[in-house]
Amino acid sequence: MKASKLLISLALYGALAAQAQIDTGPVPAQPRPSALPADWQHGVFMEIFVRAYQDSDGDGVGDLRGLIQRLDYLKTLGISGIWLMPITASSDHDHGYATTDYRRIEPQYGTLADFDELIRAAHRRGIGVVMDYVINHASWQFPPFLQAVADRSSPWRRWFVWNSDPGPGWDIWGKVPWYDASTQPWTWTGEFKDLPPLKPGSPDIYFGTFGPHMPDFDLRNPDVVRYHEDSLRFWLNRGLDGYRLDAVPHLIENSAKDWNDQPESRALTKHFQDLIKSYPGRYVVCEATAEPIAYGAPEVCGGAFAFQLNYELLKAAKGDAGAVRRVADYYRSMAPTMATFLHNHDIFTGQRVWDQLRGDEARYRLAAASYLLLPGTPFIYYGEEIGQAGVDGPADEPLRAPMSWSPTGGFTAGGQPFRALSLNRSRHNAETQAAEAGSLLHFYRELIALRRGSKALTLGRYQADHVDGLVWHFERRRAGERVMVALNYGDTPATMELPTRARPLHPRGQALAAGRVTLPPLSLRVYRLETK
């Protein structure tokens, strides 16, 4: 979303607060058994930006009905779960992380009835649905915040973090995270320009980790925690299969020095994990960029994205021998609850894979194999499976273009899409790729089918790994099944030793005797090994 200047006065705050009310009432737990197969959360997920996936009503904006229309595509691909970026009402009507109502669907995306139908339709296809939940902060247009600013005696005041004199030393990603809501006019350009200077002593200075447009909740307040508990139950009661919890290391800040990943934040994360998993078969994964392995542990979140590994996976695909070694070492110690990915919706994780690899499809396939056949829960970013390129634009916009369904786009039958279409859509679209034998889309389908068809590749241990320069091979073992995966990231042929008689699974072929085999340049080989 392009930033637009906001000129907000206290009077306008009060008017907005009076106009908008939200449900903050209690929501009793109604846990029901999961409708999904056991171990569904160990399959492959698709991260979906609903706004950019499929428009069903011709307004140029993707919606839940559009996503429902594309569930068969996801089933054919072999997807076991989908992660929906925020679909709750927001003030930005784009990225969605500035929440205005935690119990209402963003109007452009549809209704609660559409959400309920999505859950039913996904479950009929054996697909779980996980959605983003933003615990740390709300939008500046969140009604309790508006009321807290308009009336300093309001009980909503205690829902947010205020400090008339925050003191020196604050620096979060190069910004001072304190803002004065009483400054008239209160301004924000979206790029942190033209912000009025803080005036120590003002009672209206509030905290916003991610900027003035998203004030932090005071999660030391039990009322705020209860509100989030009830809101989490609201969606779980409707059949939701779990959550991606946003920015959990930032739930509690103790000082200008101790603001990130505090013990209290880990304890709260565990608390919310326990609530979600009190519903049978539910899944939780956390965003924790600084210490992802710690948050992936059962005693904190039980699952977390493997930040930093994504950079090494792409470096390895480009032929960096040091990165190949680092990836192998990471998997040796990685918990099976980690969520792996090549990049996601945030530009700090990198451009789209097509752009990072400059259209080199051989290396693209190696990057995909480097996480789809390994432990953890792989998350594909929508469009990755067809080699969709990014678009021009500021901030995260290059990563969030409409999905390329056909050579002409296929995203909307109506007017102008909300954002420019990908420039490589003439060939890198789902329709063309589905019709081409050997396309990137077929490669993703084959790898996901391999994973789904093998307990070793889905749940097996990572063992017998070996790195020799740009060659990496390892075994996955489970209940007597042994699968060997070999990757040659080099531009020249290489050899490796098969420890036993083996049957090639990719590419398929006749059984091979134990001994040396040749790996072609930039190649993947998968073997099922004989067991005694």
Side-chain angles (χ1 to χ4, degrees), residues 205-279:
I205 295 175
Y206 67 95
F207 187 78
T209 301
F210 295 95
H213 57 309
M214 293 191 285
D216 275 38
F217 284 109
D218 183 356
L219 283 154
R220 300 183 195 275
N221 181 347
D223 291 339
V224 175
V225 173
R226 277 192 291 272
Y227 171 70
H228 282 308
E229 292 169 346
D230 288 319
S231 297
L232 290 167
R233 284 192 287 264
F234 177 86
W235 299 103
L236 291 168
N237 289 349
R238 302 186 85 94
L240 186 72
D241 301 297
Y243 288 97
R244 181 258 195 190
L245 300 181
D246 181 67
V248 289
H250 308 302
L251 302 182
I252 297 289
E253 290 80 22
N254 287 314
S255 68
K257 176 177 176 291
D258 300 315
W259 60 269
N260 192 14
D261 188 22
Q262 297 302 290
E264 298 93 329
S265 294
R266 294 192 181 191
L268 272 172
T269 301
K270 171 61 172 168
H271 173 77
F272 290 124
Q273 182 209 164
D274 289 345
L275 182 154
I276 296 164
K277 290 189 174 178
S278 69
Y279 286 68

Side-chain angles (χ1 to χ4, degrees), residues 166-179 192 195 198 205-209 211-212:
W170 286 94
D171 184 341
I172 296 182
W173 305 305
K175 309 294 179 187
V176 176
W178 294 93
Y179 307 93
F192 301 96
L195 285 173
L198 287 180
I205 295 175
Y206 67 95
F207 187 78
T209 301

Side-chain angles (χ1 to χ4, degrees), residues 95 97 100 105 220 228 270 314 322 334 400 443 445 453:
H95 68 75
Y97 290 95
T100 56
I105 297 291
R220 300 183 195 275
H228 282 308
K270 171 61 172 168
L314 268 298
M334 189 187 84
R400 304 189 192 186
F443 180 76
R445 285 179 182 173

